[in-house]
Amino acid sequence: MEPDLKTSVKGEILAVKDLPTLPHVLDEVTSLIENPETSSEAIAKVISTDQVLSAKVLKMVNSPIYGFPGRISSIQHALVLLGFNVIRGIIISTSVFDMMVQAMKGLWEHSLGCATACNIIARRAGFEDPEEYAVAGLLHDLGKVVTAVQLPELHQRISETVQAKELTYFQAEKDVLGFGHDRINAWLARHWGLPPNIREAMARHHAPQLAEFYKPMSCVVHLGDFLVRLFEFGNAGDDQTSYLRPEALMELGFKMSDLDKVMDEMADQLLEVSDVTF
């Protein structure tokens, strides 16, 4: 069990017991996955027992983010095409959707935009399983939601600091809490047992040069976050442009002309993505 996360504010903690609860089918599916003999049919059957969740997952996998718009008709089909890591990430994001929408206006759209950008960037960089990069983009700001829900007064203070000092939300978090949502993400992802590549990207998207094991994924999310802010699609808690680390472009082998092509593709897709709500 993960310990609680202590902020630098006296007596304030982010408590494991107050983390959003995930649908119980995820626990069942996770234990099924541990058996290599388990078929995608068996996993799909468990997920399908939750009809509301299944409908949300199908809506999400058929969105333009994953590159199969309108073509996936069943949970089993989704599992075969996208893999369990992607489906698990989608289940988590749809489960906290209501919370995210209430906690921070525009954050869901920002997360969708980042997921869209990550898929486009990963494909252009020639990486396998671009959908996993998209899920890392979808989940990259979940730590902000946890602070907003558990520590609303500190969340308010972070937002005020953003305005008063003209900081990014990330800088303001460090100012108020003593750390940022990247650290909360690492804690969350461990608690929820997310795969290590997605976990590291969630924890290192502001400092991809420090990623140890899955640097390309951290760089993709870093660049996706930067570009979606440039488009002003959604809102990540501030209206600043984030710093683009040159190491991220070098790691991906990108030139400015590649960024232009990514942005052209993003411009086409973001209009369609903005409709994905639950």
Side-chain angles (χ1 to χ4, degrees), residues 96-115:
V96 298
F97 167 75
D98 291 333
M99 221 179 262
M100 189 182 273
V101 169
Q102 286 164 1
M104 288 180 76
K105 189 171 164 40
L107 188 61
W108 173 250
E109 291 77 8
H110 170 76
S111 303
L112 285 176
C114 188

Side-chain angles (χ1 to χ4, degrees), residues 240-251:
Q240 306 285 324
T241 305
S242 57
Y243 173 64
L244 176 61
R245 298 210 70 99
E247 301 97 321
L249 293 180
M250 283 163 62
E251 178 71 33

Side-chain angles (χ1 to χ4, degrees), residues 20-176:
T21 50
L22 299 178
H24 68 88
V25 298
L26 258 187
D27 292 335
E28 289 179 58
V29 170
T30 303
S31 56
L32 277 178
I33 294 286
E34 285 165 7
N35 176 0
E37 304 292 302
T38 304
S39 66
S40 62
E41 193 179 356
I43 296 165
K45 198 175 264 183
V46 171
I47 295 173
S48 300
T49 58
D50 186 329
Q51 290 177 335
V52 174
L53 182 65
S54 298
K56 287 178 175 179
V57 169
L58 284 173
K59 182 169 185 181
M60 201 63 174
V61 296
N62 281 298
S63 74
I65 298 171
Y66 298 99
F68 301 100
R71 301 213 301 270
I72 301 177
S73 55
S74 68
I75 295 293
Q76 189 180 352
H77 191 194
L79 279 163
V80 170
L81 281 176
L82 300 172
F84 175 61
N85 283 345
V86 172
I87 301 303
R88 176 160 55 175
I90 287 171
I91 289 173
I92 289 172
S93 69
T94 56
S95 304
V96 298
F97 167 75
D98 291 333
M99 221 179 262
M100 189 182 273
V101 169
Q102 286 164 1
M104 288 180 76
K105 189 171 164 40
L107 188 61
W108 173 250
E109 291 77 8
H110 170 76
S111 303
L112 285 176
C114 188
T116 304
C118 288
N119 194 350
I120 294 168
I121 295 162
R123 277 191 288 108
R124 177 153 288 278
F127 297 145
E128 285 179 17
D129 303 320
E131 302 82 16
E132 289 208 5
Y133 292 78
V135 158
L138 191 63
L139 303 177
H140 80 288
D141 271 349
L142 269 191
K144 293 178 181 176
V145 181
V146 173
T147 306
V149 170
Q150 288 197 23
L151 303 173
E153 285 162 19
L154 289 185
H155 170 65
Q156 183 61 34
R157 205 191 307 171
I158 292 166
S159 299
E160 287 163 2
T161 304
V162 164
Q163 298 298 329
K165 297 188 180 178
E166 292 192 355
L167 299 175
T168 64
Y169 192 90
F170 181 53
Q171 290 164 328
E173 283 174 321
K174 290 195 280 193
D175 203 57
V176 173

Side-chain angles (χ1 to χ4, degrees), residues 22 30 85 88 92 187-196 199:
L22 299 178
T30 303
N85 283 345
R88 176 160 55 175
I92 289 172
W187 172 71
L188 247 186
R190 276 199 309 270
H191 177 66
W192 282 342
L194 290 177
R199 195 164 74 205

Side-chain angles (χ1 to χ4, degrees), residues 215-227:
K215 192 172 280 185
M217 190 173 277
S218 297
C219 290
V220 167
V221 178
H222 176 76
L223 181 55
D225 185 35
F226 172 82
L227 291 177

